[in-house]
Amino acid sequence: MHDTITGGARAAALRLADRHPGLPDHVEAALHRSSSDRAGQYGDLDPVGLASLVMSVATLAWTVYNDLRTRTPTPRTDVVQRHVRVRLSETDQAPGSIDAADLEQIITVTVAEVLNAAALPLAEDDDPES
């Protein structure tokens, strides 16, 4: 999985932990499961389902960001968030059991953290030419 997605998901989980205790641990567990294991696991928004939702939003945010970069070098955060919301609603990836305010917070925080992670320079250990 791309470092920007994992970094963004981890940072989002930390920011959302005050409202969703244990989320950082569950996101970490979700990072170690395969994508096919995460699909459709939002359930009744138990902690594992919530972690899977954060991972899906992070992945979608990275995809949207890269798609938008073909049109503009630095897509605005609010534009990426809007595209993520639309794509989530079109694909029914957002669980119906989640409160609209919670979903909005998850999207807002996760997209912001993925974009923050995208803006960070590569660490020396991550340099592909090393």
PDB file of all heavy atoms in Angstrom, residues 93-116:
ATOM      1  N   GLN A  93     -20.118   2.875  -0.674  1.00  0.00           N
ATOM      2  CA  GLN A  93     -19.066   2.412   0.223  1.00  0.00           C
ATOM      3  C   GLN A  93     -19.278   2.904   1.646  1.00  0.00           C
ATOM      4  O   GLN A  93     -18.771   2.303   2.577  1.00  0.00           O
ATOM      5  CB  GLN A  93     -17.694   2.872  -0.268  1.00  0.00           C
ATOM      6  CG  GLN A  93     -17.216   2.132  -1.490  1.00  0.00           C
ATOM      7  CD  GLN A  93     -15.815   2.565  -1.877  1.00  0.00           C
ATOM      8  OE1 GLN A  93     -15.342   3.638  -1.524  1.00  0.00           O
ATOM      9  NE2 GLN A  93     -15.141   1.710  -2.629  1.00  0.00           N
ATOM     10  N   ALA A  94     -19.987   4.005   1.809  1.00  0.00           N
ATOM     11  CA  ALA A  94     -20.233   4.513   3.155  1.00  0.00           C
ATOM     12  C   ALA A  94     -21.370   3.724   3.776  1.00  0.00           C
ATOM     13  O   ALA A  94     -22.429   3.568   3.171  1.00  0.00           O
ATOM     14  CB  ALA A  94     -20.590   5.992   3.102  1.00  0.00           C
ATOM     15  N   PRO A  95     -21.167   3.204   4.965  1.00  0.00           N
ATOM     16  CA  PRO A  95     -22.212   2.414   5.605  1.00  0.00           C
ATOM     17  C   PRO A  95     -23.407   3.275   5.975  1.00  0.00           C
ATOM     18  O   PRO A  95     -23.254   4.416   6.401  1.00  0.00           O
ATOM     19  CB  PRO A  95     -21.521   1.850   6.850  1.00  0.00           C
ATOM     20  CG  PRO A  95     -20.385   2.779   7.104  1.00  0.00           C
ATOM     21  CD  PRO A  95     -19.974   3.332   5.776  1.00  0.00           C
ATOM     22  N   GLY A  96     -24.593   2.734   5.808  1.00  0.00           N
ATOM     23  CA  GLY A  96     -25.808   3.464   6.147  1.00  0.00           C
ATOM     24  C   GLY A  96     -25.963   3.684   7.637  1.00  0.00           C
ATOM     25  O   GLY A  96     -26.691   4.560   8.070  1.00  0.00           O
ATOM     26  N   SER A  97     -25.254   2.892   8.437  1.00  0.00           N
ATOM     27  CA  SER A  97     -25.408   2.984   9.884  1.00  0.00           C
ATOM     28  C   SER A  97     -24.592   4.118  10.503  1.00  0.00           C
ATOM     29  O   SER A  97     -24.729   4.391  11.690  1.00  0.00           O
ATOM     30  CB  SER A  97     -24.995   1.654  10.534  1.00  0.00           C
ATOM     31  OG  SER A  97     -23.647   1.364  10.225  1.00  0.00           O
ATOM     32  N   ILE A  98     -23.778   4.783   9.704  1.00  0.00           N
ATOM     33  CA  ILE A  98     -22.956   5.860  10.258  1.00  0.00           C
ATOM     34  C   ILE A  98     -23.716   7.173  10.231  1.00  0.00           C
ATOM     35  O   ILE A  98     -24.425   7.486   9.273  1.00  0.00           O
ATOM     36  CB  ILE A  98     -21.610   5.992   9.506  1.00  0.00           C
ATOM     37  CG1 ILE A  98     -20.703   6.980  10.232  1.00  0.00           C
ATOM     38  CG2 ILE A  98     -21.826   6.387   8.068  1.00  0.00           C
ATOM     39  CD1 ILE A  98     -19.282   6.979   9.729  1.00  0.00           C
ATOM     40  N   ASP A  99     -23.587   7.915  11.292  1.00  0.00           N
ATOM     41  CA  ASP A  99     -24.182   9.241  11.404  1.00  0.00           C
ATOM     42  C   ASP A  99     -23.533  10.158  10.363  1.00  0.00           C
ATOM     43  O   ASP A  99     -22.323  10.089  10.130  1.00  0.00           O
ATOM     44  CB  ASP A  99     -23.917   9.748  12.831  1.00  0.00           C
ATOM     45  CG  ASP A  99     -24.405  11.149  13.042  1.00  0.00           C
ATOM     46  OD1 ASP A  99     -25.613  11.314  13.278  1.00  0.00           O
ATOM     47  OD2 ASP A  99     -23.576  12.078  12.964  1.00  0.00           O
ATOM     48  N   ALA A 100     -24.332  11.003   9.721  1.00  0.00           N
ATOM     49  CA  ALA A 100     -23.828  11.887   8.663  1.00  0.00           C
ATOM     50  C   ALA A 100     -22.707  12.795   9.174  1.00  0.00           C
ATOM     51  O   ALA A 100     -21.727  13.031   8.453  1.00  0.00           O
ATOM     52  CB  ALA A 100     -24.967  12.723   8.092  1.00  0.00           C
ATOM     53  N   ALA A 101     -22.822  13.280  10.401  1.00  0.00           N
ATOM     54  CA  ALA A 101     -21.777  14.146  10.957  1.00  0.00           C
ATOM     55  C   ALA A 101     -20.478  13.370  11.161  1.00  0.00           C
ATOM     56  O   ALA A 101     -19.389  13.890  10.909  1.00  0.00           O
ATOM     57  CB  ALA A 101     -22.237  14.767  12.270  1.00  0.00           C
ATOM     58  N   ASP A 102     -20.585  12.117  11.605  1.00  0.00           N
ATOM     59  CA  ASP A 102     -19.388  11.281  11.774  1.00  0.00           C
ATOM     60  C   ASP A 102     -18.732  11.010  10.431  1.00  0.00           C
ATOM     61  O   ASP A 102     -17.510  11.079  10.306  1.00  0.00           O
ATOM     62  CB  ASP A 102     -19.733   9.945  12.445  1.00  0.00           C
ATOM     63  CG  ASP A 102     -19.854  10.055  13.948  1.00  0.00           C
ATOM     64  OD1 ASP A 102     -19.350  11.037  14.526  1.00  0.00           O
ATOM     65  OD2 ASP A 102     -20.457   9.141  14.548  1.00  0.00           O
ATOM     66  N   LEU A 103     -19.532  10.685   9.431  1.00  0.00           N
ATOM     67  CA  LEU A 103     -18.983  10.427   8.102  1.00  0.00           C
ATOM     68  C   LEU A 103     -18.284  11.667   7.567  1.00  0.00           C
ATOM     69  O   LEU A 103     -17.181  11.584   7.020  1.00  0.00           O
ATOM     70  CB  LEU A 103     -20.069   9.959   7.133  1.00  0.00           C
ATOM     71  CG  LEU A 103     -19.613   9.660   5.709  1.00  0.00           C
ATOM     72  CD1 LEU A 103     -18.554   8.556   5.699  1.00  0.00           C
ATOM     73  CD2 LEU A 103     -20.797   9.276   4.839  1.00  0.00           C
ATOM     74  N   GLU A 104     -18.894  12.814   7.739  1.00  0.00           N
ATOM     75  CA  GLU A 104     -18.295  14.069   7.283  1.00  0.00           C
ATOM     76  C   GLU A 104     -16.961  14.310   7.979  1.00  0.00           C
ATOM     77  O   GLU A 104     -15.977  14.690   7.343  1.00  0.00           O
ATOM     78  CB  GLU A 104     -19.245  15.237   7.531  1.00  0.00           C
ATOM     79  CG  GLU A 104     -18.720  16.578   7.080  1.00  0.00           C
ATOM     80  CD  GLU A 104     -18.422  16.639   5.590  1.00  0.00           C
ATOM     81  OE1 GLU A 104     -19.058  15.924   4.792  1.00  0.00           O
ATOM     82  OE2 GLU A 104     -17.527  17.419   5.209  1.00  0.00           O
ATOM     83  N   GLN A 105     -16.915  14.071   9.286  1.00  0.00           N
ATOM     84  CA  GLN A 105     -15.671  14.261  10.030  1.00  0.00           C
ATOM     85  C   GLN A 105     -14.590  13.286   9.544  1.00  0.00           C
ATOM     86  O   GLN A 105     -13.439  13.666   9.363  1.00  0.00           O
ATOM     87  CB  GLN A 105     -15.899  14.080  11.527  1.00  0.00           C
ATOM     88  CG  GLN A 105     -14.638  14.297  12.341  1.00  0.00           C
ATOM     89  CD  GLN A 105     -14.813  13.989  13.804  1.00  0.00           C
ATOM     90  OE1 GLN A 105     -15.568  13.097  14.168  1.00  0.00           O
ATOM     91  NE2 GLN A 105     -14.107  14.724  14.647  1.00  0.00           N
ATOM     92  N   ILE A 106     -14.969  12.041   9.323  1.00  0.00           N
ATOM     93  CA  ILE A 106     -14.012  11.038   8.849  1.00  0.00           C
ATOM     94  C   ILE A 106     -13.458  11.435   7.489  1.00  0.00           C
ATOM     95  O   ILE A 106     -12.252  11.361   7.253  1.00  0.00           O
ATOM     96  CB  ILE A 106     -14.665   9.643   8.821  1.00  0.00           C
ATOM     97  CG1 ILE A 106     -14.889   9.154  10.256  1.00  0.00           C
ATOM     98  CG2 ILE A 106     -13.830   8.654   8.022  1.00  0.00           C
ATOM     99  CD1 ILE A 106     -15.819   7.966  10.370  1.00  0.00           C
ATOM    100  N   ILE A 107     -14.317  11.873   6.586  1.00  0.00           N
ATOM    101  CA  ILE A 107     -13.861  12.296   5.255  1.00  0.00           C
ATOM    102  C   ILE A 107     -12.949  13.512   5.363  1.00  0.00           C
ATOM    103  O   ILE A 107     -11.852  13.540   4.791  1.00  0.00           O
ATOM    104  CB  ILE A 107     -15.061  12.584   4.326  1.00  0.00           C
ATOM    105  CG1 ILE A 107     -15.796  11.285   3.997  1.00  0.00           C
ATOM    106  CG2 ILE A 107     -14.604  13.298   3.049  1.00  0.00           C
ATOM    107  CD1 ILE A 107     -17.126  11.484   3.296  1.00  0.00           C
ATOM    108  N   THR A 108     -13.384  14.528   6.099  1.00  0.00           N
ATOM    109  CA  THR A 108     -12.622  15.767   6.225  1.00  0.00           C
ATOM    110  C   THR A 108     -11.233  15.515   6.801  1.00  0.00           C
ATOM    111  O   THR A 108     -10.219  15.950   6.241  1.00  0.00           O
ATOM    112  CB  THR A 108     -13.387  16.778   7.102  1.00  0.00           C
ATOM    113  OG1 THR A 108     -14.646  17.054   6.481  1.00  0.00           O
ATOM    114  CG2 THR A 108     -12.619  18.076   7.273  1.00  0.00           C
ATOM    115  N   VAL A 109     -11.186  14.795   7.904  1.00  0.00           N
ATOM    116  CA  VAL A 109      -9.910  14.541   8.579  1.00  0.00           C
ATOM    117  C   VAL A 109      -9.020  13.630   7.740  1.00  0.00           C
ATOM    118  O   VAL A 109      -7.826  13.892   7.570  1.00  0.00           O
ATOM    119  CB  VAL A 109     -10.157  13.941   9.981  1.00  0.00           C
ATOM    120  CG1 VAL A 109      -8.878  13.400  10.600  1.00  0.00           C
ATOM    121  CG2 VAL A 109     -10.800  14.978  10.896  1.00  0.00           C
ATOM    122  N   THR A 110      -9.584  12.562   7.204  1.00  0.00           N
ATOM    123  CA  THR A 110      -8.779  11.601   6.463  1.00  0.00           C
ATOM    124  C   THR A 110      -8.213  12.216   5.187  1.00  0.00           C
ATOM    125  O   THR A 110      -7.023  12.044   4.878  1.00  0.00           O
ATOM    126  CB  THR A 110      -9.575  10.326   6.160  1.00  0.00           C
ATOM    127  OG1 THR A 110     -10.073   9.785   7.390  1.00  0.00           O
ATOM    128  CG2 THR A 110      -8.723   9.282   5.463  1.00  0.00           C
ATOM    129  N   VAL A 111      -9.021  12.936   4.439  1.00  0.00           N
ATOM    130  CA  VAL A 111      -8.521  13.590   3.219  1.00  0.00           C
ATOM    131  C   VAL A 111      -7.414  14.579   3.578  1.00  0.00           C
ATOM    132  O   VAL A 111      -6.360  14.598   2.934  1.00  0.00           O
ATOM    133  CB  VAL A 111      -9.659  14.281   2.439  1.00  0.00           C
ATOM    134  CG1 VAL A 111      -9.105  15.187   1.343  1.00  0.00           C
ATOM    135  CG2 VAL A 111     -10.609  13.248   1.847  1.00  0.00           C
ATOM    136  N   ALA A 112      -7.626  15.383   4.606  1.00  0.00           N
ATOM    137  CA  ALA A 112      -6.604  16.353   5.012  1.00  0.00           C
ATOM    138  C   ALA A 112      -5.292  15.660   5.372  1.00  0.00           C
ATOM    139  O   ALA A 112      -4.212  16.108   4.967  1.00  0.00           O
ATOM    140  CB  ALA A 112      -7.105  17.186   6.191  1.00  0.00           C
ATOM    141  N   GLU A 113      -5.382  14.555   6.088  1.00  0.00           N
ATOM    142  CA  GLU A 113      -4.161  13.854   6.501  1.00  0.00           C
ATOM    143  C   GLU A 113      -3.479  13.148   5.334  1.00  0.00           C
ATOM    144  O   GLU A 113      -2.252  13.087   5.284  1.00  0.00           O
ATOM    145  CB  GLU A 113      -4.456  12.881   7.635  1.00  0.00           C
ATOM    146  CG  GLU A 113      -4.814  13.571   8.936  1.00  0.00           C
ATOM    147  CD  GLU A 113      -3.726  14.511   9.471  1.00  0.00           C
ATOM    148  OE1 GLU A 113      -2.539  14.371   9.098  1.00  0.00           O
ATOM    149  OE2 GLU A 113      -4.069  15.403  10.259  1.00  0.00           O
ATOM    150  N   VAL A 114      -4.238  12.628   4.394  1.00  0.00           N
ATOM    151  CA  VAL A 114      -3.627  12.026   3.201  1.00  0.00           C
ATOM    152  C   VAL A 114      -2.902  13.103   2.400  1.00  0.00           C
ATOM    153  O   VAL A 114      -1.775  12.895   1.940  1.00  0.00           O
ATOM    154  CB  VAL A 114      -4.679  11.288   2.341  1.00  0.00           C
ATOM    155  CG1 VAL A 114      -4.133  10.941   0.964  1.00  0.00           C
ATOM    156  CG2 VAL A 114      -5.155  10.026   3.054  1.00  0.00           C
ATOM    157  N   LEU A 115      -3.513  14.262   2.242  1.00  0.00           N
ATOM    158  CA  LEU A 115      -2.870  15.336   1.506  1.00  0.00           C
ATOM    159  C   LEU A 115      -1.650  15.872   2.250  1.00  0.00           C
ATOM    160  O   LEU A 115      -0.647  16.229   1.630  1.00  0.00           O
ATOM    161  CB  LEU A 115      -3.859  16.450   1.188  1.00  0.00           C
ATOM    162  CG  LEU A 115      -5.026  16.047   0.279  1.00  0.00           C
ATOM    163  CD1 LEU A 115      -5.897  17.242  -0.051  1.00  0.00           C
ATOM    164  CD2 LEU A 115      -4.547  15.364  -0.976  1.00  0.00           C
ATOM    165  N   ASN A 116      -1.729  15.907   3.588  1.00  0.00           N
ATOM    166  CA  ASN A 116      -0.550  16.292   4.378  1.00  0.00           C
ATOM    167  C   ASN A 116       0.573  15.293   4.157  1.00  0.00           C
ATOM    168  O   ASN A 116       1.729  15.674   3.985  1.00  0.00           O
ATOM    169  CB  ASN A 116      -0.881  16.357   5.873  1.00  0.00           C
ATOM    170  CG  ASN A 116      -1.701  17.570   6.232  1.00  0.00           C
ATOM    171  OD1 ASN A 116      -1.768  18.542   5.492  1.00  0.00           O
ATOM    172  ND2 ASN A 116      -2.339  17.509   7.382  1.00  0.00           N
TER     173      ASN A 116
END
